[in-house]
Amino acid sequence: MNELAAELPWLWAGLAAYALATFTSIGGVAIQGPGGTLIHAQRSERIVLALLIAGVLLLGVAIAQRWIRIGHGPWISLFELLMSQLWSLGLVYTISYWKLPRFRPSAVVVLPVLWVLGTWLLTLEPKASHFPATYYNEWKWIHVALGKIYLALLLIGVGLSGVMILRRAERVRSWFSAMPSDDVIDRLAWRMMMLALVFDSLMLIAGAVWAQDAWGRYWQWDALETSAFGTWLALGVGIHLRLTYRIPAWLSGVMIISIFALAFATYFGMPYVSPAAHKGMV
Amino acid sequence: MTFLRSLASLRLTLVGMLMLAVGAGLTYDNRLDLPVWVLVVPLAVLSVNLSAAILTNERINRQFGLLTFHVGLLGIVVLTAIGRLAYFDAHTELAEGQEFTPDVLLEIKKGPFHSGRLDQVHFVQGPYTVEYAAGMQRGLTHSQVAIAAPEGGLMTKIVGDDRPLVLEGYRFYTTFNKGFSVILTWKPLSGPPITGRVNLPSYPLYDYKQDNTWTPQDGPPIKFWLQLETGLREDAAWTLDARNSRGVLVVTQKDQRVELNPGDTAEIEGGSLRYERLSSWMGYKVYYDPTLRWLFFVAILAVVGLAMHYWRVMGSRLWPSVLQESRDDDKSQERGSN
Ligand code: HEM
């Protein structure tokens, strides 16, 4: 008989909390009271916040359960990476949701992105992964933590970008009427990108130190490193494009979403697509 | 001055960045046939562009954090270039009891200006263990080496894939490439005996072909293979350790086939062969780059500069408008400021 892996019930519960938060946030901005006033919005925001907190806590328990079960942290398999990203992206986004109330409607963009990860995760086997020799190095903590913050900042940017783009559509414009002007959103989004650049740079530095220890070289242009450098450079290009030209809000949003897409592909695609990637990683 | 200003153009920055992205894409997987120019040219363009901007553009040279960041980027490019000119990269295989000397290095690659004190590097290889998890997944390696202690005498250090031995800036990392060796003594019918060491192919990678040939000086070629008992398990965890392994030496010469245990001697054509004992060898990657520490500091400095810039801009220009509850003021906030 197949025994249920200890983390699965917690994982499902956490994903369910995220799912409810997704529907509640959409309901909160889409269902409006008479005259367009945002009757439901504020109450729904409190519910969304509570559900997000619940989701993060439940996923935290799932990760801890798995950690105990297999004896090492969620570093290795795609199942583990997705689970831990769902937790950390959720955590950072929840903090920004809580701290930046004026930008909460962007949850209708952000939470579905989490769902891409959640759905993908549900298709994978939770089987135990092997802990390679290179992972005993303590730099992994710093590298991974910085990477998580970096990706989460990009995700917040994606939320803001989605709003700038969706606002162009007549039908959904009212969803975001409570949010500041595109000008303010755009500036906040690019500040997030600059902060993401800080964490991305630090992540690359920590990764290089780790790689020097693990593989005897700090940089080798393997698939993952090339792609990670490309994403770092894309952030620089994006920031400089804005310095050089006047970029309309929607295009600015497209740029941010593209950078996120690159980062996403780097993180979840490269280590598994290319057999040469980060030898010893998988 | 106008020339310098045009060199400092931010449009050129974008062109340089795109060139660099293309160069990085081409360099993917370190293709050896690719000329190094695909990276050097964009980096040179960006470096000239950035230096010109630092000299002429007040938006960059008047903002301390931003300036630190960009100067740091320039520093990283310069240091990487120095690193490429001075680096050293090689492999070696050291048998237990063998002392490292530069002439045992294989596959040497180095920059044109490499000048390290490799001749000052001394250590002696000791025994090692390699942990394997179920499914033949290699775990930690603990390789013992003896180095000179500062207070005189020798001291033991443990080296691993992730724990280099660093001597004179040269970093020695263990690799997956390691295996067994046998110590043999050949006693010809006349003349003095010769003791030698023969390394067998990498283990457990070439578990199935642990054979080799030894031709002692003035002696006949002796073919043999090693029947190993190492505790190797496919389905469970085990530890590779030559000290806990047994190896029976099977010598074949013409029609003759002899099995030898350590200490045994066989009479074969031309003399006698004594199998002294089983031993091991370890493969190392050797790496030297004098810029490593500097690269780290400069990179950190650059990021600190960027963070300072971030906080200043965030605090003075943006944050108030983000936190403001009233939406009417949004448009009055410094339009177009970044
Ligand atoms: C190599 C040539 C480069 C030049 C000439 C250059 C020039 C400049 C200049 C003049 C500014 C000031 C903009 C202002 O405040 O108005 C600036 C800002 C900035 N640059 Fe660069 N830069 C270069 C490369 C890079 C690279 C490779 C990156 C990162 C990947 C980068 C990231 C930034 C950031 C984050 C800012 C701050 C933007 C802001 O305050 O919104 N730069 N750069």
Side-chain angles (χ1 to χ4, degrees):
Chain A
M1 206 181 83
N2 260 345
E3 223 178 293
L4 193 65
E7 66 270 20
L8 285 182
W10 298 97
L11 177 64
W12 293 333
L15 291 179
Y18 279 1
L20 286 176
T22 313
F23 295 129
T24 314
S25 68
I26 294 173
V29 294
I31 307 167
Q32 302 196 351
T37 49
L38 307 163
I39 297 178
H40 298 269
Q42 314 234 307
R43 191 161 9 112
S44 79
E45 282 177 4
R46 280 196 292 275
I47 300 172
V48 171
L49 185 59
L51 284 167
L52 283 176
I53 293 172
V56 171
L57 291 175
L58 288 163
L59 285 171
V61 176
I63 291 171
Q65 288 279 1
R66 182 176 171 86
W67 201 315
I68 295 167
R69 180 169 77 86
I70 68 175
H72 62 78
W75 316 104
I76 320 290
S77 67
L78 189 55
F79 182 88
E80 290 164 0
L81 294 195
L82 284 168
M83 186 154 108
S84 103
Q85 277 299 345
L86 273 163
W87 172 79
S88 59
L89 291 175
L91 176 66
V92 176
Y93 186 68
T94 304
I95 294 171
S96 91
Y97 192 87
W98 168 44
K99 285 288 183 191
L100 299 174
R102 297 179 75 201
F103 298 86
R104 283 179 185 165
S106 71
V108 302
V109 180
V110 170
L111 297 182
V113 176
L114 287 187
W115 260 95
V116 175
L117 300 183
T119 314
W120 191 359
L121 177 58
L122 288 174
T123 65
L124 300 173
E125 283 280 325
K127 64 173 188 287
S129 53
H130 165 64
F131 195 69
T134 46
Y135 276 66
Y136 288 89
N137 191 296
E138 299 309 335
W139 279 93
K140 71 170 180 288
W141 290 97
I142 302 172
H143 179 65
V144 167
L146 291 165
K148 283 178 174 305
I149 299 171
Y150 151 65
L151 201 63
L153 289 166
L154 291 187
L155 182 66
I156 296 172
V158 166
L160 300 172
S161 300
V163 172
M164 291 191 284
I165 294 168
L166 288 175
R167 265 183 172 173
R168 297 172 57 80
E170 198 64 52
R171 278 187 50 196
V172 292
R173 181 169 303 157
S174 63
W175 291 18
F176 306 111
S177 54
M179 286 183 69
S181 67
D182 275 356
D183 197 44
V184 171
I185 294 183
D186 186 53
R187 272 188 281 147
L188 179 65
W190 283 98
R191 286 305 120 182
M192 288 295 161
M193 291 301 109
M194 205 206 285
L195 196 57
L197 182 63
V198 170
F199 283 95
D200 187 12
S201 307
L202 288 172
M203 176 191 75
L204 292 181
I205 295 170
V209 175
W210 182 11
Q212 183 65 52
D213 278 352
W215 301 308
R217 88 292 189 290
Y218 65 88
W219 195 270
Q220 183 108 65
W221 299 108
D222 73 16
L224 195 60
E225 288 163 356
T226 308
S227 183
F229 177 76
T231 317
W232 180 86
L233 199 59
L235 270 172
V237 169
I239 288 168
H240 272 262
L241 268 173
R242 271 184 90 253
L243 290 174
T244 319
Y245 302 98
R246 244 196 118 71
I247 310 275
W250 67 269
L251 183 57
S252 180
V254 170
M255 275 157 52
I256 291 177
I257 291 173
S258 313
I259 294 170
F260 177 79
L262 258 177
F264 190 93
T266 303
Y267 200 96
F268 295 109
M270 284 308 159
Y272 301 95
V273 169
S274 157
H278 261 43
K279 298 188 296 276
M281 161 136 188
V282 195
Chain B
M1 199 61 185
T2 39
F3 176 64
L4 212 55
R5 273 190 203 285
S6 47
L7 269 186
S9 150
L10 284 177
R11 290 192 176 87
L12 182 59
T13 311
L14 289 168
V15 172
M17 286 178 170
L18 292 179
M19 283 164 69
L20 183 57
V22 172
L26 289 173
T27 313
Y28 159 56
D29 230 9
N30 249 350
R31 286 184 20 214
L32 289 176
D33 52 335
L34 198 78
V36 64
W37 300 111
V38 298
L39 285 180
V40 170
V41 169
L43 286 175
V45 168
L46 283 173
S47 301
V48 169
N49 172 232
L50 184 53
S51 309
I54 289 170
L55 290 176
T56 59
N57 189 336
E58 295 194 342
R59 280 154 69 192
I60 190 167
N61 64 28
R62 286 276 167 88
Q63 307 195 63
F64 181 72
L66 201 58
L67 181 64
T68 309
F69 172 67
H70 286 88
V71 171
L73 290 182
L74 213 51
I76 290 172
V77 172
V78 171
L79 284 170
T80 318
I82 296 174
R84 287 323 286 169
L85 294 174
Y87 87 107
F88 182 90
D89 186 305
H91 285 88
T92 185
E93 291 172 5
L94 283 179
E96 198 183 323
Q98 188 179 358
E99 182 178 355
F100 170 80
T101 47
D103 56 319
V104 298
L105 289 170
L106 310 161
E107 296 172 51
I108 298 174
K109 285 179 272 176
K110 59 182 180 183
F113 299 130
H114 169 73
S115 65
R117 307 201 309 158
L118 192 57
D119 52 340
Q120 301 294 312
V121 176
H122 296 292
F123 69 96
V124 177
Q125 178 63 39
Y128 62 81
T129 59
V130 183
E131 292 161 17
Y132 279 86
M136 293 289 288
Q137 308 252 27
R138 193 166 64 93
L140 288 181
T141 296
H142 298 268
S143 176
Q144 288 183 25
V145 297
I147 58 169
E151 63 275 11
L154 289 178
M155 63 186 219
T156 303
K157 276 210 116 179
I158 303 291
V159 186
D161 285 21
D162 56 341
R163 258 201 289 181
L165 169 71
V166 186
L167 295 174
E168 300 289 336
Y170 290 87
R171 308 165 78 87
F172 291 79
Y173 301 86
T174 58
T175 64
F176 71 94
N177 187 30
K178 77 277 165 204
F180 289 95
S181 48
V182 286
I183 314 288
L184 304 173
T185 300
W186 169 247
K187 196 165 182 303
L189 293 177
S190 61
I194 303 160
T195 299
R197 168 195 296 277
V198 186
N199 290 354
L200 289 136
S202 187
Y203 186 90
L205 187 61
Y206 297 111
D207 174 28
Y208 56 93
K209 56 170 205 188
Q210 291 292 309
D211 51 27
N212 211 334
T213 305
W214 184 42
T215 313
Q217 217 178 355
D218 305 327
I222 304 167
K223 272 194 185 162
F224 60 86
W225 65 281
L226 197 60
Q227 230 169 19
L228 279 167
E229 269 175 47
T230 59
L232 181 151
R233 301 277 305 268
E234 293 271 348
D235 55 341
W238 64 287
T239 301
L240 172 64
D241 183 347
R243 291 162 297 183
N244 296 336
S245 306
R246 272 172 40 80
V248 175
L249 194 73
V250 182
V251 182
T252 47
Q253 207 190 29
K254 296 202 176 136
D255 301 338
Q256 208 181 350
R257 180 182 191 280
V258 202
E259 289 194 3
L260 299 177
N261 279 304
D264 290 351
T265 305
E267 301 300 329
I268 53 180
E269 196 187 316
S272 65
L273 180 75
R274 185 177 150 89
Y275 170 28
E276 304 286 353
R277 61 191 166 84
L278 184 67
S279 183
S280 61
W281 60 270
M282 172 53 76
Y284 287 93
K285 176 187 169 65
V286 189
Y287 186 82
Y288 173 91
D289 183 340
T291 63
L292 285 184
R293 189 164 302 161
W294 294 104
L295 264 178
F296 180 77
F297 284 132
V298 171
I300 292 286
L301 195 73
V303 182
V304 169
L306 186 61
M308 279 168 57
H309 178 67
Y310 172 80
W311 283 121
R312 208 178 58 79
V313 175
M314 210 54 187
S316 65
R317 295 192 234 157
L318 181 76
W319 216 222
S321 73
V322 168
L323 292 180
Q324 218 157 55
E325 280 311 317
S326 148
R327 271 185 288 144
D328 307 334
D329 298 339
D330 287 341
K331 298 211 172 58
S332 62
Q333 294 290 320
E334 266 191 87
R335 250 185 170 277
S337 74
N338 291 291

